[in-house]
Amino acid sequence: MTHVLSAVAWPYANGPRHIGHVAGFGVPSDVFSRYMRMTGHDVLMVSGTDEHGTPILVAADQAGVPAKELADRYNAVIVQDLVDLGLSYDLFTRTTTGNHYRVAQELFHQNWLNGYMIEQTMQSAISPSTGRTLPDRYIEGTCPICKFPEARGDQCDNCGNQLDPIDLIDPRSKINGETPEFVETQHFFLDLPALAGALGEWLDGREATGLWRPNVIKFSQNILKDIKPRAMTRDIDWGIPVPIDGWQEQPTKRLYVWFDAVIGYLSASIEWARRSDDPEAWRQWWNDPAAESFYFMGKDNITFHSQIWPAELLGYAGLGDRGGEPGEYGVLNLPTEVVSSEFLTMESKQLSSSRGHVILVQDMLSRYQPDALRYFICAAGPETSDSDFTWAEFVQRTNSELVAGWGNLVNRTATMIAKNVGAIPACGDLEPVDEAVLTAVRDGFASVGELIEGTGSGRDRRGDADRRRGQQVPHRHRALQDEGRLAAGSARDRAARRRPVRGRLQHAALAVPPALRQRRVAGAGR
């Protein structure tokens, strides 16, 4: 048995979740965690809502409520989304707990004691209309390197390079479109160059395992080539106070939301242990070198999980160029794997709450069983490349694969037992055909399991089993017909119907309601 940490990206508490969110962090981590539990590993699956930063203040202002009230509201909404989707967290908490404050301040303070938090002057972006600091991700402009017109203030999603807001060509606020002003301000920076050697050695070791997805490991290694100190505090009054004398008393200096958010994996583990009546139990996942940890997120968060978070851990343990000593938590395990999904798109456009181009989880679950959405994400989700959601493929996969495939298998088996025997018969001597079936099942479980343990969905090997099963069991279970026009004649949808059947065992039958075909919901984005 191995202690396995399933560290699931923290959803930002500024609105309900859409299907792109859960395709990146939710369903993949849940499939992985459930399988690892089935195989006897001791799994700790943790996450929570990320509730600090300027975007919460902006959304609270728009709603006319305090930031804490808005965070409370959306924490409840997001928890309901994830519960209704059937995700199996051991603990889902929040970054506004006293426990999280203490853990985040401990990591910052020890990094500072070890010399990895350095004071520097930087150019900070200010909103001319409000005087409030604009976070990096709330500033867009043209990338100075690849000329991508929608680069963010912290990185360009097109070329992957790290940026500062002042680097952008024609920067603009995502909140109201105005041009930000830049003023000098003093902040603490994580000295990434002093940790680059240790980071590079760790990444090279991860590459040698051959387990990381190629896009993740290559991206992570490439951003080391231009590494520089990164600001870990912000001019804002909503967040965790900076735990340094002379700073802690300042009402408008707080830890950077991304510095404290990734610490949530550790703070949630510590909170879980305290609730379990064994306050030190978390150490089995964090201090034991034999334990393994898998971090699940979308590809836009790779930098924070393969560079910033490992750097915080290395600095805390004193394992960079400056040396140092571990704090009270000891030497903490670095990620075994950073499991990044690509984007789920809709109509070939990235799903975005801020742009109103979304399908909300609750909109889906109000009409369809969660298994239908979970199945689609497993069978056609953005595991190694972007994938496009279409209603036509969603209906086709559910009706043809879940209902007519798996559903028919279960239905026919149960019907034959009821008709011919009346109850599940006692097990007798196995005939050769029985042994062959059981062997195929065991082999399938093992082969799919190998892929899941490598943080894939196992869908390709499962597809082989689907096809063998489909040859043996006629499809007689009737699926519902499509209610509306789904552009079924398009080349893309015809191609989808020709793909090999791939999937995971769930069941449902459905058709697309007209109200959801072009659903647009406005909301704030991160």
Side-chain angles (χ1 to χ4, degrees):
M1 179 188 73
T2 301
H3 286 89
V4 175
L5 176 70
S6 184
V8 189
W10 289 54
Y12 201 57
N14 64 338
R17 298 301 88 185
H18 59 62
I19 63 173
H21 290 139
V22 295
F25 76 84
V27 172
S29 61
D30 192 56
V31 170
F32 173 81
S33 300
R34 288 173 182 269
Y35 172 80
M36 296 302 277
R37 291 185 186 115
M38 289 170 63
T39 54
H41 298 297
D42 199 345
V43 176
L44 179 59
M45 180 179 176
V46 294
S47 187
T49 44
D50 178 6
E51 301 180 1
H52 293 131
T54 300
I56 292 291
L57 290 174
V58 172
D61 285 349
Q62 292 172 344
V65 299
K68 182 62 165 61
E69 182 177 329
L70 186 90
D72 291 344
R73 176 192 307 172
Y74 284 125
N75 169 266
V77 169
I78 292 168
V79 166
Q80 195 63 54
D81 286 345
L82 304 183
V83 168
D84 290 347
L85 196 56
L87 304 187
S88 56
Y89 293 100
D90 291 287
L91 179 67
F92 189 88
T93 181
R94 313 173 64 172
T95 57
T96 49
T97 66
N99 170 73
H100 180 72
Y101 273 52
R102 288 189 294 274
V103 176
Q105 289 180 328
E106 163 65 14
L107 262 76
F108 186 96
H109 189 258
Q110 192 64 33
N111 267 280
W112 176 74
L113 287 177
N114 286 340
Y116 298 106
M117 286 293 174
I118 55 178
E119 290 188 52
Q120 289 186 358
T121 299
M122 65 176 288
Q123 295 285 326
S124 180
I126 303 295
S127 166
S129 62
T130 67
R132 179 174 288 160
T133 301
L134 289 169
D136 299 344
R137 289 196 165 199
Y138 260 55
I139 303 172
E140 285 186 342
T142 299
C143 175
I145 300 171
C146 70
K147 309 308 181 198
F148 180 61
E150 295 184 359
R152 296 193 305 246
D154 59 349
Q155 72 180 45
C156 175
D157 286 339
N158 186 57
C159 67
N161 283 287
Q162 287 184 265
L163 302 170
D164 288 320
I166 200 168
D167 297 332
L168 296 173
I169 301 170
D170 298 325
R172 58 190 178 276
S173 167
K174 288 180 63 178
I175 300 170
N176 55 20
E178 65 185 1
T179 301
E181 296 177 355
F182 290 92
V183 299
E184 285 193 351
T185 182
Q186 195 78 1
H187 283 290
F188 276 106
F189 284 67
L190 181 60
D191 191 358
L192 290 171
L195 296 160
L199 280 169
E201 183 178 346
W202 168 67
L203 286 170
D204 290 345
R206 293 294 86 205
E207 183 183 30
T209 68
L211 295 177
W212 281 38
R213 293 174 181 173
N215 61 320
V216 180
I217 192 68
K218 292 302 181 186
F219 176 87
S220 302
Q221 291 171 323
N222 286 338
I223 59 178
L224 278 178
K225 298 174 182 177
D226 188 32
I227 200 167
K228 55 187 177 182
R230 186 147 187 173
M232 289 293 124
T233 57
R234 287 292 187 269
D235 292 303
I236 188 174
D237 58 2
W238 173 243
I240 300 176
V242 182
I244 305 297
D245 290 343
W247 286 72
Q248 190 156 348
E249 299 77 17
Q250 296 189 46
T252 58
K253 295 287 188 182
R254 294 292 184 266
L255 298 185
Y256 178 33
V257 63
W258 265 109
F259 175 85
D260 89 80
V262 289
I263 294 171
Y265 304 116
L266 173 61
S267 68
S269 302
I270 292 173
E271 181 181 344
W272 168 85
R274 189 185 71 247
R275 293 186 181 203
S276 72
D277 296 326
D278 182 2
E280 298 298 303
W282 64 272
R283 294 187 182 276
Q284 298 173 89
W285 285 269
W286 286 92
N287 293 146
D288 182 356
E292 298 182 345
S293 55
F294 299 83
Y295 291 74
F296 294 84
M297 82 288 308
K299 66 179 178 181
D300 54 336
N301 292 339
I302 294 175
T303 298
F304 298 96
H305 291 83
S306 69
Q307 184 181 95
I308 303 300
W309 178 226
E312 292 178 31
L313 294 171
L314 289 165
Y316 181 80
L319 296 176
D321 294 346
R322 298 177 183 273
E325 297 294 331
E328 65 177 275
Y329 300 139
V331 177
L332 299 164
N333 290 337
L334 296 172
T336 302
E337 184 169 354
V338 173
V339 188
S340 169
S341 296
E342 303 295 296
F343 289 139
L344 182 68
T345 59
M346 182 174 68
E347 299 169 352
S348 299
K349 298 178 183 177
Q350 185 177 338
L351 288 156
S352 170
S353 297
S354 60
R355 297 183 178 94
H357 188 73
V358 294
I359 302 171
L360 297 181
V361 168
Q362 287 299 332
D363 283 339
M364 294 286 288
L365 300 185
S366 67
R367 292 181 177 268
Y368 309 130
Q369 297 178 32
D371 283 351
L373 178 56
R374 291 171 62 99
Y375 175 82
F376 181 87
I377 291 170
C378 289
E383 190 170 290
T384 56
S385 62
D386 290 354
S387 62
D388 200 42
F389 176 91
T390 69
W391 285 111
E393 185 172 7
F394 178 62
V395 169
Q396 184 270 333
R397 282 188 176 276
T398 304
N399 286 344
S400 298
E401 297 173 20
L402 283 181
V403 176
W406 288 109
N408 181 63
L409 173 65
V410 173
N411 181 68
R412 288 201 70 202
T413 302
T415 299
M416 292 173 64
I417 291 173
K419 180 179 179 180
N420 298 316
V421 184
I424 297 177
C427 183
D429 294 335
L430 298 180
E431 298 181 7
V433 66
D434 301 319
E435 294 284 6
V437 170
L438 290 175
T439 298
V441 170
R442 283 190 292 266
D443 290 348
F445 187 82
S447 60
V448 171
E450 289 174 6
L451 295 175
I452 293 177
E453 289 181 5
T455 61
S457 69
R459 60 193 184 190
D460 294 322
R461 301 277 181 88
R462 175 75 74 178
D464 295 338
D466 284 351
R467 287 186 285 275
R468 289 195 298 271
R469 183 208 64 236
Q471 293 167 1
Q472 298 167 6
V473 183
H475 291 176
R476 295 176 57 190
H477 193 65
R478 187 177 65 86
L480 297 181
Q481 294 297 312
D482 174 13
E483 288 179 354
R485 297 177 181 177
L486 295 170
S490 71
R492 181 174 61 192
D493 294 333
R494 286 197 301 271
R497 286 177 168 78
R498 289 195 295 268
R499 294 181 192 143
V501 177
R502 301 179 298 182
R504 187 166 307 284
L505 178 58
Q506 321 285 352
H507 91 276
L510 50 100
V512 176
L516 286 184
R517 286 189 208 122
Q518 298 294 330
R519 181 80 181 197
R520 296 291 184 273
V521 181
R526 185 169 186 170

